[in-house]
């Protein structure tokens, strides 16, 4: 039994001892030493690892078809990539999510893990690069500068559609509450002041509609990332790649991922431009802003329970205080608010990093990737949490809502066509001065009968356009 704990690998800086059981190699080892930034490895984003494996598999298949890579090496590279795509060896993708070098460390990490697993499948020891080399074979016809941005686009695409699925679940939960509360009359508010009546169902339907709109915006943004620069190699000229490689590898990658991809018409432009990431980040910010607004509404509507609006009850999830017995806080909307603030900050980071690209390359794509992936992941988790641990359990305080409508001065707007502007103004003034209800004052003044007033106070009369009935 061998007691050897390391193997020796060589790069342009010299020899280094790599853990013998590691699938990564010397380039990854140096990156681990150089970038102890977040203590968060790239494997935290499995979509990125999956994307890298898809790209390396497509490249091996294309290079074999073009006669540049022999069938045996291609077969084992593909097999290693397929294993990684299913989730194997993700723990070997260890470089930090924030790194210098425009993503080179990530690309090297992928090359080395794939090469060493392929060597193992071939019956060779890890590190026996004479048989199959991470750069010569796994990275053939590629550069970090076309692999990394393509991987970011694929990973973003995977993540966006997971996010859309989570948003759809939240939208359906809000829509179900809109239907449940369709007959619950309440006061609408503008600038936090009483406005005119509406139904609680109408209020909840707006949250569903906002999500539906943003699902569509995300789908539109996803179309932008289907254009890739794979085949551009270093700066977009395609140096070291076969003339037919770019078109072929794009077709192979489309088949592997199930995404309809297209090679950018100008690969020099596509290699330096981060506009698609800026666009996606902006849409994620839009989702976050509107989701946060909805959560702030839920917190306000449930405030109290005695000294606030107390129009709805959120499900109680945990004790709210270590000092105030019985206190329950709106912790689920609060956490979603915080996610939104993070996403807004991530968008600023993406904006600055995209602007900072120089000449033929943007060296700051790692922070763009980290920011985008955090936003997508946290929004996804926030939507799922809000759906399952808050929205589905919301209940309406129907009697309080009705009482607030009857006591609100705001309903005189709805009564104006029936009793006239002068009478409505007088009723509003008396209600405000006395604290009495508009409903009772109208009855006391004999301006409408109880039957007439109850008919007008029905939700279907107060919350949608009706034929004008002019006051006498």
């Amino acid at each position: 039994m061998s007691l050897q704990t390391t193997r020796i690998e060589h790069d342009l800086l010299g020899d280094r001892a790599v853990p013998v059981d590691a699938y990564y190699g010397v380039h990854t080892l140096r990156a681990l030493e150089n970038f102890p930034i977040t203590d968060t490895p790239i494997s935290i984003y499995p979509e990125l690892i999956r994307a890298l494996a898809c790209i390396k598999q497509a490249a091996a298949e294309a290079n074999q078809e073009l006669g540049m890579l022999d069938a045996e090496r291609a077969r084992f590279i593909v097999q290693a990539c397929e294993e990684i795509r299913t989730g194997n060896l993700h723990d070997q993708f260890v470089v930090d999510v924030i790194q210098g070098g425009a993503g080179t460390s990530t690309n090297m990490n992928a090359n080395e893990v794939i090469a060493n697993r392929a060597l193992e499948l071939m019956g060779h020891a890890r590190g026996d690069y004479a048989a199959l080399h991470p750069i010569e074979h796994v990275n053939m016809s590629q550069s970090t500068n076309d692999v990394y941005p393509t991987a970011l686009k694929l990973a973003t695409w995977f993540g966006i559609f997971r996010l859309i699925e989570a948003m759809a679940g939240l939208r359906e939960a809000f829509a179900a509450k809109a239907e449940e509360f369709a007959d619950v009359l309440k006061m609408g508010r503008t600038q936090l002041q009483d406005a005119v009546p509406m139904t609680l169902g109408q209020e909840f339907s707006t949250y569903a509609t906002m999500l539906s709109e943003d699902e569509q915006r995300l789908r539109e943004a996803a179309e932008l990332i289907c254009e890739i620069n794979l085949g551009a190699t270093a700066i977009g000229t395609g140096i070291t790649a076969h003339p037919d490689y770019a078109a072929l590898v794009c077709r192979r990658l489309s088949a592997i991922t199930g995404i309809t991809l297209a090679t950018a018409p100008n690969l020099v432009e596509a290699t330096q431009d981060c506009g698609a990431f800026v666009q996606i980040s902006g849409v994620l910010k839009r989702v976050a802003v509107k989701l946060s607004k909805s959560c702030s509404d839920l917190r306000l509507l449930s405030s109290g329970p005695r000294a606030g609006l107390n129009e709805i009850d959120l499900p109680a999830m945990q004790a709210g205080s270590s000092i105030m017995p019985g206190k329950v806080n709106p912790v689920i909307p609060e956490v979603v608010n915080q996610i939104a603030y993070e996403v807004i900050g991530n968008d600023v980071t993406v904006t600055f990093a995209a602007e900072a690209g120089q000449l033929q390359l943007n060296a700051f794509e790692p922070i763009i990737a980290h920011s985008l992936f955090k936003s997508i992941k946290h929004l996804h988790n926030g939507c799922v949490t809000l759906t399952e641990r808050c929205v589905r359990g919301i209940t309406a305080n129907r009697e309080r809502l009705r009482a607030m409508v009857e006591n609100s001065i705001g309903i005189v707007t709805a009564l104006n066509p029936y009793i006239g502007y002068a009478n409505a103004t007088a009723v509003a003034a008396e209600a405000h001065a006395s604290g009495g209800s508009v409903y009772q004052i109208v009855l006391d003044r004999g301006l409408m009968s109880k039957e007439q007033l109850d008919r007008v106070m029905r939700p279907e009369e107060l919350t949608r356009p009706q034929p004008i009935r002019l006051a006498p």
Side-chain angles (χ1 to χ4, degrees), residues 272-284:
Q272 62 190 268
D273 180 41
C274 292
F277 299 131
V278 175
Q279 177 76 10
I280 290 165
S281 182
V283 176
L284 293 172

Side-chain angles (χ1 to χ4, degrees), residues 87-131:
N88 291 340
L89 299 180
H90 281 213
D91 63 333
Q92 297 295 304
F93 289 80
V94 294
V95 297
D96 201 279
V97 289
I98 299 180
Q99 55 193 251
T104 297
S105 297
T106 294
N107 187 37
M108 289 294 200
N109 196 166
N111 289 333
E112 290 174 339
V113 173
I114 292 166
N116 281 306
R117 178 54 183 152
L119 284 168
E120 203 170 50
L121 293 168
M122 294 169 70
H124 293 274
R126 299 172 204 171
D128 185 8
Y129 297 143

Side-chain angles (χ1 to χ4, degrees), residues 68-88:
M68 299 180 68
L69 183 65
D70 63 274
E72 182 183 19
R73 287 191 178 99
R75 176 164 64 91
F76 287 112
I77 290 172
V78 167
Q79 186 176 341
C81 290
E82 288 176 339
E83 291 182 2
I84 292 168
R85 287 172 52 202
T86 62
N88 291 340

Side-chain angles (χ1 to χ4, degrees), residues 16-315:
R16 288 300 307 270
V18 178
V20 70
D21 59 349
Y23 284 87
Y24 60 79
V26 62
H27 297 287
T28 303
L29 179 66
R30 293 199 190 278
L32 282 171
E33 295 169 344
N34 289 335
F35 309 121
I37 308 302
T38 67
D39 293 325
T40 303
I42 56 173
S43 58
I44 195 175
Y45 302 123
E47 291 92 351
L48 176 60
I49 310 307
R50 177 183 166 199
L52 288 163
C54 289
I55 291 166
K56 298 298 178 179
Q57 178 177 340
E61 292 176 356
N63 283 319
Q64 180 190 354
E65 185 172 335
L66 293 168
M68 299 180 68
L69 183 65
D70 63 274
E72 182 183 19
R73 287 191 178 99
R75 176 164 64 91
F76 287 112
I77 290 172
V78 167
Q79 186 176 341
C81 290
E82 288 176 339
E83 291 182 2
I84 292 168
R85 287 172 52 202
T86 62
N88 291 340
L89 299 180
H90 281 213
D91 63 333
Q92 297 295 304
F93 289 80
V94 294
V95 297
D96 201 279
V97 289
I98 299 180
Q99 55 193 251
T104 297
S105 297
T106 294
N107 187 37
M108 289 294 200
N109 196 166
N111 289 333
E112 290 174 339
V113 173
I114 292 166
N116 281 306
R117 178 54 183 152
L119 284 168
E120 203 170 50
L121 293 168
M122 294 169 70
H124 293 274
R126 299 172 204 171
D128 185 8
Y129 297 143
L132 190 150
H133 198 278
I135 297 176
E136 298 290 346
H137 302 120
V138 179
N139 198 63
M140 180 181 286
S141 305
Q142 302 153 60
S143 164
T144 294
N145 303 345
D146 62 348
V147 168
Y148 191 71
T150 299
L152 300 194
K153 289 184 175 181
L154 292 179
T156 300
W157 196 95
F158 296 144
I160 280 177
F161 282 92
R162 288 185 68 246
L163 172 57
I164 289 173
E165 183 179 358
M167 289 170 64
L170 179 58
R171 167 175 49 80
E172 290 165 3
F174 274 126
K177 288 298 170 181
E179 183 175 350
E180 179 184 343
F181 301 148
D183 64 337
V184 180
L185 195 63
K186 63 160 289 177
M187 285 304 299
R189 296 179 181 85
T190 57
Q191 292 142 290
L192 295 180
Q193 306 300 304
D194 294 355
V196 295
M198 65 184 303
T199 67
L200 190 60
Q202 287 174 319
E203 191 160 38
F204 272 72
S205 74
T206 65
Y207 307 139
T209 299
M210 285 193 289
L211 283 160
S212 177
E213 290 175 347
D214 284 352
E215 289 171 47
Q216 184 58 33
R217 299 294 83 75
L218 280 172
R219 290 189 179 92
E220 293 166 357
E223 292 298 315
L224 295 176
I225 56 176
C226 291
E227 184 180 279
I228 61 174
N229 75 326
L230 200 58
T233 65
I235 65 169
T237 61
I239 191 170
T240 76
H242 190 283
D244 298 328
Y245 171 78
L248 179 57
V249 77
C250 184
R251 290 198 298 272
R252 292 287 189 176
L253 189 58
S254 294
I256 291 167
T257 61
I259 306 170
T260 303
L261 302 167
T263 302
N266 186 324
L267 289 176
V268 176
E269 180 275 336
T271 302
Q272 62 190 268
D273 180 41
C274 292
F277 299 131
V278 175
Q279 177 76 10
I280 290 165
S281 182
V283 176
L284 293 172
K285 180 177 72 173
R286 170 184 165 134
V287 173
V289 167
K290 292 164 69 174
L291 193 59
S292 185
K293 189 271 180 191
S294 300
C295 284
S296 294
D297 282 0
L298 295 180
R299 290 166 50 214
L300 190 58
L301 293 172
S302 64
S303 60
R306 299 291 178 88
L309 294 183
N310 192 29
E311 295 190 353
I312 61 173
D313 286 326
L314 308 184

